[in-house]
Amino acid sequence: MKKHVKKVVSVLTVAVMLLSLAACGKSDGGSSSDNGGDSKDKVKIVVMPKVVGIDYYNAVQKGVDKASEELSDVAEITWQGPTEATVDKQIEMLETIIPTKPDVICIAANDPAAIQPTLEKAQEAGIKVVSWDADANVRDIFVNLVDYTVFGNAVIDSLASQIGEEGDIAIITTTFTATNQVLWIEAIEARIAEKYPNIKIVDTREAGEDTQKANTLASDLMKSYPELKGIIALGAPNLPGAVNAVVSAGKTGEVIVAGNSTPNTMKPYLEDGSIRDVQLWSAPDHGYLSVYTAYQLATEGLEEGKAFTAGDMGEFTPEKDEISMSIGLPLVEFTKDNVGDYDF
Amino acid sequence: MKKLVKNNFFVLILVLVIVMAVMSGMSDYFLTADYLLNATRFISETSMIGLGMTLVILTGGIDLSVGSMMALSSVCLGLTCQAGIPAGLAAAVSLLVGIAGGALNGYAVCKMNLPALIVTLATMGLFRGIALGISGGSAIPIPKSLYFLGQGSIGPLPVQLVITTTAYIVIAFFIYKSNFGIYLKGIGYNEEVAVFSGIKVTWNKVKAYMLSGFFAAFLGILFTCRVSSAKADYGSNYEMDAITIAVFGGASLAGGKVSFAGSYIAAVIIVLIRLGLTTAAIQTEIQSVIIGLILILAVAFNNFVASKKKIEI
């Protein structure tokens, strides 16, 4: 008999747990509708990252939350993503979300080809699609990272200004095939050809996304080219590796390093002066801009060449691209003075 | 009442009713025919992988390679279609790959006498590696003629639902009504006794692993047809889903005791919780915690039932 009592107790425990969960779900809904009339009139936006629970997307989520608060009277924004960065988990989540008929889905696609049919299904159901971070083949607009040319120019301009616009430089990249790397390096080469005739790229190496490997490569480069004036390290994990190599070789100030990485990683190096500035974009701004773009798309619509205001980030003008249209994030340059303002 | 509480299946149904009630309270969309019919696509997929696992667990073994086999089958389907082989034949090739992979598992476990956990852990890496290697990791589109298997309906019912339910009924019939079932139970309950009873232990166990491989490959095909492209990273962690379903459904990992109806309902419960929480916009991290807690309680609960039961043949 005792056993049976235990069984009944555990069934009840499960039931209570589920019911209390339902209660929190409901109270959440209640509080948001208190803020601004009927939740059915609000624009419903779902923002989906590649994966949840990593630093970078947590930073993006802060921007989403900020926009969500500003728009709380007129829009209902949910942040949902898979715990693994795989496309099948994203597809399953989308297929579950589509019947709830949100107005806009913002997605950072883990695989553009595999997710295409699901996004087509969403569009057929009347849902607008915004891609952000990683593009999709089917979308109304793409909220891109910083324009590749703008980004490449900023990196080489920073380096050039620190080496007196002349001398030998080397590039450490992630892989020769990654789209962003290829386009950044093309932009850097074009800028050199146009503006810096005395700068010469003597070598380009692949480090993957590996701080240790970038460190070894940077040390080797300095040995192979004793006249080397600068190193461009592209890829967030590679820049600290290259800076470290220069510091341990005692060549700070002799060999200048430039490139892209995240503020939290680079903070110590910026503060002790081993690097002057780091180029990137603001991750929270990416979330913020994506939400405002989605809101604009759902309400007044977006048109090529017609500017819209994205909250406190100012005006953006969608430009035509191969699939539909896109906008890009502004470049952010981290220095020792502003790096503390960012947390990702 | 005493008898009902003792009945594992009754308990599962009770949990299912509670889950349905709670989920419909959380989202207006949950208790609609469209939503639930669409949900059966996911439920059928998860319950199909649980079916193979349930068979292997019945023999006292385990098959960790099912998720990877699903990916391998998916990639095989994609590549053979791309090579211009007719869709039906391509699907048959994928199923054969599944059976062959299962045979490899079975051979290593039974003939070479290696622990199933280690063998299938190794083939889990092996199958995934082959899938990644031959596909290069990219998504491969499949011909539109195959979409029916993953996206079509037979009457109002999604194709997967019909296929999986049929598979469950057929397998359950064989297990409960034929010698095959008695052999597997005997092996799972006590392998030595089974040997001395004249049961062909090796061949029957290998058959269970081959069926597991077959169902994993079948799922690979259905899944690929639903999402319209083949890819090597499908099915990660599905082996855990499969084990969860079997155990939640009333299987004993020691072997000799499983419940096919239990596995089926367990899949319904777990998938409905997951989908319902997503629809109600509960964060994925919190979902994992909730599902984990429910499972611990449910399995602990099953143990009370299991501990007192004798084998039934």
Side-chain angles (χ1 to χ4, degrees):
Chain A
M1 192 58 214
K2 243 184 184 173
K3 282 249 162 74
H4 301 154
V5 173
K6 270 190 193 167
K7 272 174 219 165
V8 173
V9 167
S10 44
V11 166
L12 288 176
T13 322
V14 175
V16 166
M17 221 167 61
L18 283 165
L19 287 170
S20 58
L21 182 76
C24 5
K26 274 198 169 156
S27 65
D28 277 359
S31 65
S32 66
S33 57
D34 286 347
N35 295 338
D38 199 312
S39 68
K40 290 236 159 76
D41 299 337
K42 292 183 178 179
V43 177
K44 278 170 71 182
I45 299 168
V46 176
V47 186
M48 188 178 291
K50 285 182 170 178
V51 59
V52 291
I54 65 167
D55 282 352
Y56 184 78
Y57 286 118
N58 288 345
V60 173
Q61 193 188 354
K62 281 182 199 156
V64 171
D65 288 346
K66 187 181 160 209
S68 163
E69 215 164 278
E70 290 172 10
L71 294 170
S72 64
D73 289 344
V74 284
E76 200 179 300
I77 291 134
T78 42
W79 168 264
Q80 276 187 302
T83 46
E84 290 163 70
T86 58
V87 73
D88 55 324
K89 298 282 186 305
Q90 279 190 324
I91 291 172
E92 183 183 304
M93 294 194 85
L94 280 182
E95 294 218 4
T96 321
I97 290 168
I98 290 169
T100 70
K101 299 250 158 46
D103 296 284
V104 188
I105 290 172
C106 303
I107 180 150
N110 278 317
D111 186 305
I115 208 153
Q116 182 171 344
T118 314
L119 292 178
E120 279 166 358
K121 213 183 277 179
Q123 284 192 328
E124 277 163 29
I127 300 166
K128 297 204 161 60
V129 177
V130 174
S131 62
W132 62 279
D133 193 28
D135 201 5
N137 297 338
V138 178
R139 35 86 165 166
D140 295 285
I141 188 166
F142 176 33
V143 182
N144 199 351
L145 299 167
V146 181
D147 179 82
Y148 296 116
T149 315
V150 172
F151 197 82
N153 289 351
V155 171
I156 185 65
D157 287 351
S158 158
L159 185 66
S161 72
Q162 295 179 73
I163 59 172
E165 302 192 0
E166 61 175 353
D168 293 349
I169 64 164
I171 298 178
I172 295 173
T173 176
T174 60
T175 61
F176 294 134
T177 49
T179 316
N180 60 351
Q181 301 290 319
V182 171
L183 294 174
W184 284 344
I185 293 173
E186 269 176 18
I188 289 169
E189 284 168 346
R191 186 73 157 188
I192 289 175
E194 179 200 339
K195 265 188 88 177
Y196 309 113
N198 298 324
I199 292 180
K200 198 179 145 214
I201 300 174
V202 291
D203 209 342
T204 305
R205 298 283 184 90
E206 276 183 317
E209 302 233 0
D210 185 340
T211 306
Q212 198 49 49
K213 192 149 181 225
N215 187 310
T216 316
L217 277 177
S219 306
D220 291 350
L221 285 167
M222 284 186 287
K223 281 179 206 135
S224 321
Y225 306 97
E227 296 295 302
L228 199 69
K229 285 290 214 35
I231 298 174
I232 291 178
L234 301 173
N238 296 342
L239 186 59
V243 174
N244 241 330
V246 172
V247 172
S248 27
K251 290 194 169 182
T252 315
E254 269 173 69
V255 177
I256 305 298
V257 186
N260 67 313
S261 191
T262 51
N264 284 353
T265 318
M266 296 312 292
K267 202 172 171 200
Y269 303 107
L270 285 163
E271 281 173 348
D272 72 11
S274 359
I275 186 165
R276 192 188 72 182
D277 49 48
V278 176
Q279 328 293 324
L280 201 74
W281 47 84
S282 157
D285 280 358
H286 204 175
Y288 185 86
L289 179 58
S290 300
V291 170
Y292 268 92
T293 308
Y295 180 70
Q296 179 73 22
L297 185 65
T299 51
E300 287 160 44
L302 288 167
E303 264 176 60
E304 261 172 62
K306 203 177 146 208
F308 71 97
T309 310
D312 61 13
M313 282 179 73
E315 290 205 334
F316 288 84
T317 311
E319 279 170 30
K320 192 179 163 48
D321 65 11
E322 325 67 74
I323 302 173
S324 53
M325 45 188 177
S326 59
I327 52 174
L329 277 178
L331 181 94
V332 175
E333 187 173 87
F334 304 118
T335 62
K336 68 176 190 311
D337 302 318
N338 74 358
V339 70
D341 303 340
Y342 299 90
D343 182 18
F344 64 95
Chain B
M1 182 65 197
K2 223 174 178 181
K3 210 172 179 188
L4 280 181
V5 175
K6 240 181 186 169
N7 186 336
N8 177 44
F9 190 70
F10 166 75
V11 172
L12 285 171
I13 296 284
L14 191 66
V15 174
L16 178 61
V17 170
I18 297 171
V19 167
M20 299 277 283
V22 172
M23 292 303 164
S24 61
M26 285 168 73
S27 166
D28 299 339
Y29 304 96
F30 191 78
L31 266 192
T32 58
D34 275 357
Y35 185 93
L36 289 176
L37 275 178
N38 191 44
T40 59
R41 292 193 194 274
F42 303 107
I43 292 169
S44 311
E45 286 171 4
T46 308
S47 52
M48 178 167 272
I49 206 142
L51 177 56
M53 185 67 80
T54 307
L55 277 168
V56 173
I57 286 179
L58 180 58
T59 70
I62 198 147
D63 187 354
L64 297 180
S65 70
V66 287
S68 300
M69 176 46 77
M70 176 189 158
L72 182 56
S73 145
S74 167
V75 167
C76 284
L77 181 71
L79 288 176
T80 43
C81 286
Q82 207 173 39
I85 292 168
L89 200 61
V93 170
S94 284
L95 292 178
L96 282 178
V97 168
I99 294 171
L104 174 67
N105 282 332
Y107 182 82
V109 171
C110 306
K111 278 281 179 189
M112 293 159 76
N113 234 342
L114 302 172
L117 190 75
I118 304 303
V119 169
T120 57
L121 190 65
T123 51
M124 173 171 132
L126 179 73
F127 297 157
R128 179 80 63 193
I130 296 173
L132 277 167
I134 59 178
S135 71
S138 53
I140 309 158
I142 55 161
K144 288 222 156 57
S145 60
L146 276 169
Y147 285 11
F148 175 74
L149 279 178
Q151 301 166 25
S153 296
I154 299 172
L157 303 174
V159 174
Q160 297 86 327
L161 179 64
V162 177
I163 292 178
T164 306
T165 310
T166 313
Y168 261 86
I169 293 170
V170 169
I171 290 293
F173 180 80
F174 271 101
I175 293 300
Y176 295 124
K177 297 288 174 205
S178 80
N179 288 341
F180 181 49
I182 299 174
Y183 295 159
L184 289 191
K185 277 183 201 168
I187 293 165
Y189 187 64
N190 191 329
E191 201 168 319
E192 273 175 38
V193 172
V195 172
F196 290 122
S197 315
I199 297 174
K200 285 182 187 155
V201 170
T202 306
W203 173 229
N204 280 297
K205 267 174 91 174
V206 169
K207 272 201 273 190
Y209 283 96
M210 282 162 73
L211 280 169
S212 176
F214 172 81
F215 285 121
F218 207 147
L219 173 61
I221 296 172
L222 293 181
F223 188 93
T224 307
C225 296
R226 175 166 63 78
V227 302
S228 318
S229 61
K231 199 153 184 281
D233 67 359
Y234 291 161
S236 59
N237 289 337
Y238 272 44
E239 58 282 345
M240 291 304 153
D241 282 359
I243 296 170
T244 310
I245 287 162
V247 174
F248 192 10
S252 154
L253 281 176
K257 181 187 164 292
V258 297
S259 161
F260 288 93
S263 293
Y264 195 85
I265 298 292
V268 176
I269 294 171
I270 288 169
V271 177
L272 278 186
I273 295 175
R274 199 173 67 216
L275 298 183
L277 291 178
T278 303
T279 308
I282 304 285
Q283 301 260 313
T284 327
E285 301 93 322
I286 301 169
Q287 287 186 22
S288 308
V289 174
I290 294 169
I291 294 176
L293 285 174
I294 293 175
L295 285 181
I296 289 179
L297 283 174
V299 172
F301 188 88
N302 267 346
N303 250 5
F304 294 132
V305 184
S307 57
K308 277 289 157 192
K309 268 205 174 162
K310 289 182 187 142
I311 46 157
E312 296 162 6
I313 299 254

